[in-house]
Each structure stands twice: as structure tokens, then as C-alpha cells.
Amino acid sequence: MENRQTKVFAVMGEDARQAAAGEYLRRMGYTVLGEQGAAQADYALLPMPLSAERPELDRLLAAAKPGMLAFGGKVSAEAEAEAKAAGVELADYLKREELAWLNAIPTAEGCIALLLQNRKRTLWNSPALVLGYGRC
């Protein structure tokens, strides 16, 4: 059985999903640090979408030790190249089929929320068609 206390995660980003993932990892017995702990971390959890312009990626790559495994969502080719040049392996968690399918649910709900926020009246008796591309 692996010793979870020896595995250190740096959870980066302000997103509620990042906070929930960090809390889950903590409950599972892993050491979870914030962005300030990137230099000590074996793994990093980055936000989505992850492009080369995300400040979290810059800060991670400046502090990360070579060999770190980082996870991000919707990773751009530029972000992947920057990570590789810094000796950090960057995996895209949205390429996991089960996560991609489950992510479609909050994506569709987010579309409905935006629709409701920007309407001046209720949806009652309104013709509506919600279309998606891919897993939305």
C-alpha cells in the first residue's frame, strides 16, 4: 500500500473545483499545499482551461522541481511545450473519457444559468433550443 503522506500536491487556482479537489486529496491522506508549496510538490493540480498565458502555469514552472507531474484541463499546445521545456510532465485531465462526459453536465447547466441571467423574463412558454457540440 502506498504511503500517501509522502505524496505532496500543490493545488493552484482560485476555482471552487480546485478547492474541492484539494479537500478531497487531504481527506484521502495526501499532503496538500497551495501555490506557495509548488517547489516541494510531487504533483500539481492546475485550473481549466490551461493556456500558456495562465499566471498559475508561469508560477508553477518557475518553482517546480524537474520530474513533477502536473494536471490541467484543456491544456494548450503552448502550455504543454512550456512545461516540457521546464522538465514538468503536464497531463490533460479532460482527455480522460469519464471526466469529459461528466463535465458536460455542469457545462449544460452553466449555459442555462447564463440564459436565465441575461433574460428579462422567465422561460415559461418560451420556445427554446439548447444545442451543444461534442459532450455538451
Side-chain angles (χ1 to χ4, degrees):
M1 186 167 160
E2 77 177 295
N3 183 356
R4 292 181 179 176
Q5 293 183 348
T6 64
K7 306 292 184 188
V8 179
F9 283 81
V11 178
M12 305 176 79
E14 306 285 322
D15 193 300
R17 295 172 290 193
Q18 303 305 104
E23 185 53 39
Y24 176 79
L25 289 167
R26 231 181 246 102
R27 282 195 318 265
M28 295 302 296
Y30 295 102
T31 300
V32 178
L33 306 172
E35 189 174 299
Q36 73 284 356
Q40 294 85 34
D42 303 298
Y43 305 97
L45 183 59
L46 296 158
M48 170 178 79
L50 186 64
S51 67
E53 294 82 36
R54 287 295 294 249
E56 295 91 351
L57 181 63
D58 291 339
R59 291 189 294 266
L60 171 72
L61 297 180
K65 56 186 174 185
M68 173 190 271
L69 175 57
F71 300 93
K74 288 180 151 179
V75 176
S76 72
E78 295 84 9
E80 196 169 348
E82 283 186 26
K84 187 174 184 176
V88 173
E89 184 180 348
L90 182 55
D92 189 335
Y93 47 73
L94 273 184
K95 288 186 178 175
R96 294 185 57 100
E97 195 66 16
E98 67 275 19
L99 180 59
W101 278 104
L102 288 172
N103 191 57
I105 297 164
T107 301
E109 289 176 354
C111 291
I112 293 168
L114 284 172
L115 175 67
L116 292 171
Q117 272 182 337
N118 292 301
R119 287 188 51 90
K120 302 223 184 297
R121 58 188 203 109
T122 67
L123 289 176
W124 177 256
N125 281 333
S126 298
L129 176 64
V130 178
L131 298 173
Y133 175 76
R135 295 180 176 93
C136 295

